[in-house]
Amino acid sequence: MKAGVLALQGDFREHAAVLAALGATPIEVRTPEELARVDCLVIPGGESTTISKLARSAGLVDPIRERAAAGMPMLGTCAGMIVMAKRVIGLEPLLDLVDITVRRNAYGRQVDSFEADIAVEGVDHPVRAVFIRAPIVEEVGPGVRVLAEHEGHPVVVEQGNLVVASFHPELVGETRLHAYVLEKV
Ligand code: GLN
């Protein structure tokens, strides 16, 4: 299986390593042609404003939206959650896919980063999560399932073929969330 990782900005190498460990072939996606070759897509963390700018200039917004609508499984982590959300407080949404409202940088600054073990519905063992300037999910629409919460806020949500997490699993070699999404392919 060819597992794409959006490689415009941010930490795509760690995601590629996780996908390879799960037996998939990781493909860095920077163009619509590369997107057309993959069976699923991970959108990594980084800086959502920069990812948005680069995705627009690469002409990737409509092709990603079309693949998502056609059922391609996608995983967005941290900034990836932000760019997949339908509503971002104070920022134009990019992909407008997942029916949630997110607030950027809501867990504080870089120095407030923390790790936690998160119980995720459908995943049999707690997922190790690293929160770095993570977004908070403020609202969840009716078609969205909350798979995990942390201190009263959703941190993993699923809308059909789309899964978004406010944290980084890949930074600690956590593979279970990626495995959950690959099972949808
Ligand atoms: N704070 C970043 C943003 O708003 C997200 C941080 C991350 O991906 N670790 O895009």
Side-chain angles (χ1 to χ4, degrees):
M1 180 205 309
K2 293 193 172 78
V5 184
L6 191 69
L8 298 174
Q9 187 259 344
D11 25 70
F12 49 87
R13 283 182 192 86
E14 292 87 348
H15 284 281
V18 169
L19 293 164
L22 290 167
T25 305
I27 309 269
E28 291 181 5
V29 172
R30 295 189 179 84
T31 63
E33 294 71 32
E34 287 164 344
L35 176 70
R37 280 187 227 128
V38 302
D39 304 304
C40 62
L41 181 67
V42 175
I43 302 193
E47 205 51 54
S48 51
T49 48
T50 308
I51 295 170
S52 298
K53 204 185 299 169
L54 295 173
R56 286 191 181 104
S57 62
L60 277 164
V61 175
D62 288 340
I64 295 174
R65 285 174 50 76
E66 283 158 21
R67 290 295 306 278
M72 176 181 69
M74 287 179 64
L75 171 65
T77 59
C78 202
M81 168 189 262
I82 297 169
V83 301
M84 285 174 67
K86 278 190 170 295
R87 292 169 301 279
V88 184
I89 293 168
L91 189 77
E92 191 71 23
L94 183 73
L95 296 170
D96 190 8
L97 289 171
V98 180
D99 190 7
I100 53 174
T101 305
V102 299
R103 182 186 298 277
R104 298 175 63 216
N105 301 327
Y107 286 95
R109 292 148 42 109
Q110 195 87 19
V111 291
D112 303 314
S113 300
F114 63 97
E115 289 187 31
D117 288 315
I118 307 283
V120 181
E121 211 182 304
V123 177
D124 56 10
H125 196 274
V127 165
R128 189 70 181 161
V130 186
F131 291 80
I132 304 169
R133 298 175 61 230
I136 271 187
V137 178
E138 298 276 12
E139 281 171 0
V140 171
V144 173
R145 254 179 82 203
V146 175
L147 299 185
E149 293 191 351
H150 179 71
E151 290 178 355
H153 286 279
V155 291
V156 183
V157 309
E158 174 180 65
Q159 179 184 299
N161 50 314
L162 312 174
V163 176
V164 290
S166 47
F167 52 82
H168 293 260
E170 80 289 353
L171 291 181
V172 282
E174 172 59 70
T175 59
R176 294 178 194 92
L177 209 57
H178 294 69
Y180 179 80
V181 174
L182 290 186
E183 275 167 26
K184 294 175 179 282
V185 176

